[in-house]
Every structure is written in structure tokens, then in C-alpha cells.
Amino acid sequence: MLTRRLVSAAMDADCVTYARDGDVALIHLDRPERLNAVVPALVDGLLAAFGAASADGVGAVVLAGRGRAFCAGYDLKEPEPRDGLDAARSRVERIQDVTRLMRAFPGAVVAAVHGYALGAGAEFAFGCDLVVATRDAQFGFPEVGVGLSVTGAISRLLPLTVGPARAKELLLLGKRFGAETAREWGLVNRVVPVGEHETVALDLARIAAARPRIALGLAKSALDAGIDATVEGAMLREVDDALRTLAEDESDAAASAFRAGRDG
């Protein structure tokens, strides 16, 4: 039986929805009018949703996006808060907590990606244990081009998967890449026809959730153990880098240029 409830911390802004289908939780980014672009309320909703999944004791989670995209990254149409570096540090660390919760969750977390998965959206997807993507999915890391820095431990996880040379090309040049390329590079597990991503992701999640729970959790933690220490170090560095980009005028200019281009 599918049960649904809103879990956004800002209950007047339904940025994230949570549903339970037996032993699997379904978490949807739910800002379709903005391609599920990241704002603080969406981060709060994700944290609340993964908290709900843990409290419910489900064996797996499917993370997906409503509308035309999985997640288009940070919402650069939103004005940048001017509340000091301490508050900025807190915001960056809070979005990193999404990665921490996904990795700490004792069951499988499966990303169901369609459309755009850019910036923070790509980081959310690649922070999951398994990734299912539609053939038209597009990934990319545009942060440098808009004067920002990466988060979500991608500075460790990406080179670990694709190698340092390719990771530098992706981060420094911001080139987008498709689902088949992502699969060839080891970033995506399944490439499926458009519209089938959630069905396939749910099938994989059900298989994982049916495994003996303790063994499933131990297998996941054992696989992650070899990189977890450096992941935390990477996230600490990412916070410092994010604060530096916020302190520079070039991030404002790049973001303004991005907004002007989108408005045009």
C-alpha cells in the first residue's frame, strides 16, 4: 500500500514529498516549475525525508524528481543571502548533510534520473548507491562557470570513479555528458527508455530491500569504508572553497550573467 506525506521542513512549500511502498521509500524533489532547482527548503525537505525513511525502517529508498528534470542544480534565480560567512558555512554543510544521510542510510539508495541532473543535482544522484538514468538524461557540473564550487563530496567521489584527469575536465570545463557516457564511465548502473526510470529504480530498490537487512547494511558500509575518511576531508575542503567563492565579486558577476541569459 502506497502511503504519502509531505516532509518539507517548510510545510507551506512542498519542495519534497515522501511516500512508502511496502519496504521501499520514494522521495521526490517537487519543484517542477523550477526543474527542482535547489533552495534551502528543498534541502530541508530532503533531510526530513531521509530521516523519515530511517524512522520507518525501510530497506531501500528511491530518489527521483517531479516534472521535466531530476534536479537542475542551485537555483540561481534566487537572490544570494547576505547574512555572513557563518550562515553561508551552515548552508553548505547542510546540503552536504544530504550526502551524509544517503551514505549513512543502512539500505540501498537508488537515484532515478531523467532530464537534467546538473551541479547539486548530479551530486545528489552520484551520492546514491545505484543510479538509473533515462536515455535523454544530461549530467554536468557547471559550478566553476558560474563562480561557485562543488559540494556533496563530489571532489572525492568523482575522481574515484572516473579518474582524476576526466574529473578535472568535467569540473573545470563544465561539459555536459549523457546517460550512456555516464554508464561507460561507471557513474550510472542502468540506462532505460524515457519514462521508465522510476519503474526500474523501484525494481532494484525492492530487490535490495528483500535482502537480509543486517547483511545489506554491512555490505554497503564495507564498500564505503575505504573512502569514507577521505570523503569527510573532501567535504571540509568544499565548505572552505564555497565560502571563498561567496566572498569574491566574480561569483556575483557570473550568477548575474547566468540570470540575464536565462531571462533573455
Side-chain angles (χ1 to χ4, degrees):
M1 179 179 179
L2 189 65
T3 57
R4 299 182 183 274
R5 65 176 182 273
L6 299 178
V7 293
S8 174
M11 295 304 291
D12 59 338
D14 305 339
C15 292
V16 174
T17 57
Y18 176 93
R20 181 174 176 181
D21 184 352
D23 208 20
V24 175
L26 292 86
I27 298 173
H28 280 93
L29 308 180
D30 202 358
R31 294 187 74 218
E33 74 285 355
R34 297 292 303 133
L35 300 181
N36 300 315
V38 176
V39 291
L42 185 139
V43 175
D44 292 344
L46 277 173
L47 295 175
F50 275 98
S54 295
D56 284 347
V58 296
V61 171
V62 171
L63 177 63
R66 301 282 190 200
R68 295 185 293 117
F70 177 74
C71 176
Y74 290 105
D75 194 338
L76 295 180
K77 294 240 180 222
E78 294 291 317
E80 182 66 36
R82 299 295 183 184
D83 48 4
L85 290 182
D86 287 343
R89 178 181 291 275
S90 178
R91 283 193 298 275
V92 176
E93 290 174 342
R94 191 157 179 78
I95 196 170
Q96 289 180 333
D97 284 341
V98 176
T99 299
R100 291 187 178 97
L101 282 183
M102 289 194 295
R103 292 173 65 80
F105 181 74
V109 181
V110 186
V113 179
H114 74 297
Y116 293 124
L118 305 177
E123 292 160 10
F124 289 156
F126 298 144
C128 293
D129 300 306
L130 302 171
V131 182
V132 176
T134 57
R135 290 174 182 153
D136 67 342
Q138 288 288 310
F139 300 90
F141 300 94
E143 287 94 336
V144 170
V146 295
L148 299 175
S149 61
V150 297
T151 57
I154 205 67
S155 59
R156 170 59 178 164
L157 297 176
L158 188 63
L160 185 70
T161 305
V162 305
R166 183 167 284 147
K168 285 184 178 181
E169 180 178 355
L170 294 177
L171 295 186
L172 300 184
L173 304 184
K175 181 181 178 181
R176 293 181 185 177
F177 53 99
E180 285 290 355
T181 298
R183 184 186 60 79
E184 292 171 6
W185 291 346
L187 291 166
V188 164
N189 300 90
R190 301 282 192 280
V191 177
V192 300
V194 174
E196 295 184 14
H197 54 300
E198 289 192 36
T199 299
V200 174
L202 187 57
D203 287 343
L204 294 179
R206 285 174 176 149
I207 292 171
R211 304 288 186 181
R213 191 65 53 84
I214 292 177
L216 179 69
L218 288 174
K220 174 176 174 173
S221 62
L223 288 168
D224 286 342
I227 58 174
D228 275 349
T230 52
V231 163
E232 192 60 36
M235 288 198 280
L236 291 173
R237 171 63 183 266
E238 289 169 351
V239 172
D240 291 337
D241 289 350
L243 297 183
R244 287 191 64 186
T245 61
L246 292 174
E248 298 294 334
D249 292 337
E250 66 177 14
S251 63
D252 293 336
S256 296
F258 175 87
R259 296 186 191 104
R262 290 288 293 272
D263 290 341

